[in-house]
Amino acid sequence: MTSTLYTRRQALRLGALGAGAAALSAACGGGAAGGSGKEIGIAIGYGISYAPFTIIQAKRWLEGELPDRTISWKIISGGGTVRDALLSGKLHLGCSGLGPLLIGWDAGVPWKIVSSLNDMPLWLVAKDPRFKSLRDFRQGDQIAAVQPGSIQSVMLQKAAQQQLGDPHALDKNIATMAHPEALEALLGGQIAAAYTSPPFQFQAVEQGARKLVDSYDLFGKHGFNVVAATEQYAEQNPDVLTAVHKVIARANDFITRQPAEAAKILVDAEKGKITAEQYEKYLTYEGIEFTTTPHGLVKLAAFMKEIGVIKKAPSDWRDVVFDTVRNENGS
């Protein structure tokens, strides 16, 4: 089955459920990086990695856990931007890929992981038939990624190390794009390749692109996005962290046990032309697991240190997490 292109508008709807995508109100912005006010600002991104939050919003589970708080949702592309918003106090919790999370931690950013969202394979895809491996890329052949330092860019560096003998061989080829724009640019022939995430990589292949790199071939099964908060906010709002972890676990279990029902919620949220059957296929793709437990963090950090992206790496995954997940079976 060929699905309709997952557009930016659909991504916005899926990530924020209509009115919830409105900009954070003044009550959420401009303060210190902590904050114990009544409003909770949460940043999410594009793609089915954020499906747990779509479920949480649709069922209002977080409001049920924190009835005296107001939840505000914002779409932000890129862990670096999320980091800056958390430090400024404009947001209180935000989603980041493991790459930006580790880069921030290495630089002394006082943030840690509240919960993982999932493990997902990440693909580099190309449509032009001249690209059969990384050896075919030349100067000027643009490769879309959310940003330098994103988990996708780190995966590209690992693949470049293996195929080209230089992890930084394609660093200058990276073009910063949000996933929906990257998919559109790839299919339109404006870029050479795209390193995105589910469902964008699946849709690219459905519409004629080919998989060149699979991150699971590079690192084994690994985590993708995590939810982070500053240590100051965590200290002042332990009830929020506990509630967020609880509802993510509940949503992950719902997606795992009832993927067809979860798919229907995604369709209702984004009001697009992608069918519930297609969403269910994406949610249950081999290798995807919705879990609160961070996986592959130490292995990824060791590689990033090896190639000079970070100067120090955690010796234990628990060094970069809050107590919400410390007792889980992470790596």
Side-chain angles (χ1 to χ4, degrees):
M1 178 185 298
T2 299
S3 66
T4 302
L5 180 65
Y6 192 90
T7 65
R8 180 179 178 86
R9 178 175 294 179
Q10 291 168 343
L12 285 167
R13 286 172 175 167
L14 175 58
L17 277 179
L24 296 177
S25 70
C28 188
S36 55
K38 295 298 184 182
E39 186 155 7
I40 305 169
I42 303 176
I44 56 180
Y46 301 110
I48 63 170
S49 179
Y50 305 95
F53 279 121
T54 305
I55 304 298
I56 289 165
Q57 291 174 78
K59 292 184 173 292
R60 298 186 61 80
W61 284 340
L62 194 52
E63 288 83 352
E65 294 292 328
L66 301 167
D68 60 335
R69 307 291 184 102
T70 300
I71 316 300
S72 296
W73 304 89
K74 187 175 179 66
I75 298 246
I76 294 182
S77 180
T81 308
V82 169
R83 173 202 64 216
D84 294 343
L86 292 177
L87 290 175
S88 71
K90 293 178 181 178
L91 291 168
H92 305 113
L93 298 107
C95 296
S96 171
L98 289 178
L101 187 285
L102 289 165
I103 289 172
W105 177 83
D106 172 60
V109 174
W111 66 348
K112 289 183 178 180
I113 295 170
V114 178
S115 174
S116 182
L117 287 177
N118 36 59
D119 296 343
M120 287 189 175
L122 305 174
W123 299 350
L124 174 68
V125 295
K127 190 172 183 183
D128 189 322
R130 77 180 176 92
F131 297 109
K132 298 179 176 63
S133 76
L134 297 190
R135 295 179 181 84
D136 298 316
F137 287 84
R138 300 291 181 263
Q139 184 178 359
D141 290 330
Q142 290 188 317
I143 302 172
V146 171
Q147 63 188 62
S150 64
I151 189 171
Q152 287 88 353
S153 71
V154 174
M155 296 304 172
L156 181 63
Q157 289 170 326
K158 179 66 172 178
Q161 182 188 61
Q162 291 184 351
Q163 295 187 31
L164 307 176
D166 177 4
H168 302 291
L170 297 175
D171 284 1
K172 293 183 179 179
N173 293 70
I174 292 177
T176 300
M177 291 186 188
H179 296 332
E181 284 85 353
L183 176 59
E184 292 179 1
L186 177 72
L187 297 178
Q190 286 86 41
I191 58 175
Y195 216 141
T196 58
S197 68
F200 310 103
Q201 63 195 32
F202 301 150
Q203 291 182 309
V205 170
E206 289 167 357
Q207 299 188 49
R210 297 173 315 287
K211 177 171 64 171
L212 301 184
V213 173
D214 186 326
S215 64
Y216 277 13
D217 293 337
L218 304 174
F219 285 97
K221 194 172 183 180
H222 61 78
F224 176 22
N225 280 307
V226 297
V227 181
T230 65
E231 294 179 0
Q232 182 180 352
Y233 184 78
E235 182 178 352
Q236 295 176 359
N237 300 274
D239 59 326
V240 174
L241 268 66
T242 298
V244 167
H245 176 265
K246 180 179 179 179
V247 296
I248 292 173
R250 186 178 178 185
N252 284 346
D253 183 69
F254 180 81
I255 294 169
T256 301
R257 294 178 181 273
Q258 302 180 64
E261 292 302 312
K264 291 176 182 178
I265 292 175
L266 300 188
V267 171
D268 289 343
E270 63 96 12
K271 305 186 191 311
K273 297 180 180 179
I274 301 176
T275 66
E277 291 78 13
Q278 193 69 24
Y279 269 130
E280 183 177 2
K281 176 183 174 182
Y282 294 152
L283 291 172
T284 57
Y285 189 89
E286 182 179 0
I288 290 180
E289 180 183 358
F290 288 90
T291 175
T292 60
T293 307
H295 293 132
L297 193 153
V298 172
K299 184 184 293 186
L300 184 68
F303 169 71
M304 293 171 67
K305 180 182 178 183
E306 174 192 337
I307 65 171
V309 174
I310 57 178
K311 294 181 179 179
K312 67 177 186 294
S315 58
D316 190 316
W317 67 277
R318 296 175 184 85
D319 294 342
V320 292
V321 306
F322 289 113
D323 288 344
T324 46
V325 294
R326 187 175 297 275
N327 294 325
E328 297 180 12
N329 189 27
S331 61

